[in-house]
Amino acid sequence: MPWDKIEVKSASDIDKMRVSGRIAREILDEAGKLVKPGVKTDEIDQLVHELCMEKNAYPSPLNYNNFPKSVCTSINEVICHGIPDSTELKEGDIVNIDVTIFHDGFHGDCSEMFVVGETDEASKRLIQVTYNAWQEAIKYCKPGAKYNQIGGIVERYVKKRGYSTSRDFVAHGIGRAFHTKPFILHYDNNENLGTMEPGHVFTIEPMICEGKADHVLWPDNWTATTKDGKRSAQFEHTILITKDGCEPLTKKLPSSPVQWWEDPDRALKV
């Protein structure tokens, strides 16, 4: 496949990616159940690794460009790529758990926010706005839609509500490769990023910040935090373009816990 083309997955590829997406979702759901005060992020990493082995899958982040763990755990001001360690989750923390697995030749990638116990109203609003913007971007996806419009949908939604969107990290195509075309920006842009076609598979994963989106990269060369120390939130699905719309391959299962921000009766009005 030429480097500048977006791969169209075959029916066989899509079947395998549905399995990979389901496995990633199952593992993310189990990882989220561990979130409570006093739990070390290393414990989340250990569970993710063990579940990958049980499901005959490989944790995609492990040893990817020297990333040392099997999952990303990004707490509070960490925008993305937090490395699990001995850090204990505290009451009021918010944490993004980002699970990517490789099974039968294909990756599945998803992330979700979790609240440690109870948190403040500002953090709740940040999560709700991030979730809503992500959902608006997903609703846009269908054959013929331009990839460069995703960023504007996200940025307009969050900016109107007083937040900023990271310009330094992108969404991406996914399949046999962890990261491939299209590379999708989460801010308003006019870049030529291509047009959606049935069989395209990619992620949408906006990183939304309470303050400015400028980041600091830690010496580990992975952990990115907000420069002003304010909190950040993120959600992610692997998305398939179908003939008449889109299908999240990492969608929630009947067994998946329902978070308050996705429940119409409990979601914040923002």
Side-chain angles (χ1 to χ4, degrees):
M1 184 181 68
W3 68 269
D4 60 341
K5 300 296 183 183
I6 299 171
E7 181 182 14
V8 174
K9 304 295 192 293
S10 68
S12 175
D13 294 343
I14 291 168
D15 286 343
K16 291 179 179 180
M17 291 205 73
R18 283 198 176 99
V19 175
S20 294
R22 181 185 178 96
I23 291 172
R25 165 52 57 187
E26 290 171 345
I27 293 173
L28 179 57
D29 288 348
E30 291 304 311
K33 293 174 184 177
L34 274 187
V35 172
K36 61 183 178 181
V39 170
K40 296 180 176 68
T41 52
D42 256 342
E43 295 176 61
I44 297 172
D45 177 73
Q46 182 179 355
L47 176 65
V48 168
H49 189 90
E50 290 174 353
L51 290 174
C52 284
M53 298 303 102
E54 288 178 14
K55 296 174 183 291
N56 195 30
Y58 184 85
S60 304
L62 184 60
N63 295 321
Y64 178 79
N65 291 339
N66 297 316
F67 191 86
K69 296 297 178 77
S70 295
V71 68
C72 297
T73 52
S74 301
I75 304 170
N76 297 336
E77 76 275 14
V78 180
I79 298 172
C80 60
H81 303 153
I83 299 175
D85 57 16
S86 60
T87 299
E88 293 186 0
L89 298 175
K90 303 187 304 295
E91 181 81 18
D93 284 345
I94 61 173
V95 57
N96 176 274
I97 301 177
D98 190 340
V99 171
T100 311
I101 65 92
F102 184 74
H103 174 82
D104 198 15
F106 290 89
H107 297 271
D109 190 0
C110 54
S111 84
E112 186 171 346
M113 296 302 298
F114 298 92
V115 176
V116 184
E118 290 295 325
T119 195
D120 56 57
E121 289 303 313
S123 295
K124 290 180 181 179
R125 188 172 187 272
L126 169 66
I127 292 171
Q128 188 72 66
V129 169
T130 303
Y131 177 81
N132 291 359
W134 177 60
Q135 288 293 301
E136 289 299 312
I138 292 171
K139 289 175 188 175
Y140 165 77
C141 296
K142 62 183 178 181
K146 300 292 185 182
Y147 283 106
N148 64 7
Q149 296 303 297
I150 290 174
I153 291 168
V154 170
E155 184 167 37
R156 285 190 294 274
Y157 189 93
V158 304
K159 189 174 181 179
K160 182 178 179 181
R161 291 160 177 82
Y163 300 93
S164 62
T165 176
S166 175
R167 293 171 171 258
D168 300 315
F169 305 98
V170 300
H172 53 90
I174 188 170
R176 293 177 180 85
F178 192 170
H179 300 99
T180 186
K181 285 205 165 191
F183 294 104
I184 298 165
L185 309 176
H186 296 111
Y187 56 89
D188 197 17
N189 71 92
N190 291 313
E191 299 293 327
N192 182 12
L193 304 177
T195 301
M196 298 177 200
E197 298 178 21
H200 285 185
V201 183
F202 56 93
T203 68
I204 297 180
E205 47 183 303
M207 289 145 271
I208 307 305
C209 303
E210 279 187 311
K212 294 182 179 180
D214 299 335
H215 82 276
V216 174
L217 186 66
W218 285 11
D220 61 27
N221 290 321
W222 277 106
T223 307
T225 66
T226 58
K227 196 170 185 178
D228 59 16
K230 294 186 178 180
R231 291 185 170 189
S232 179
Q234 179 187 24
F235 291 89
E236 178 182 14
H237 268 323
T238 296
I239 305 289
L240 165 70
I241 297 299
T242 62
K243 65 179 182 179
D244 53 6
C246 73
E247 174 189 347
L249 299 180
T250 47
K251 62 181 177 289
K252 291 215 165 182
L253 306 170
S255 60
S256 296
V258 177
Q259 304 261 34
W260 56 260
W261 48 81
E262 54 193 351
D263 180 350
D265 293 329
R266 294 185 290 158
L268 299 183
K269 305 298 187 229
V270 294

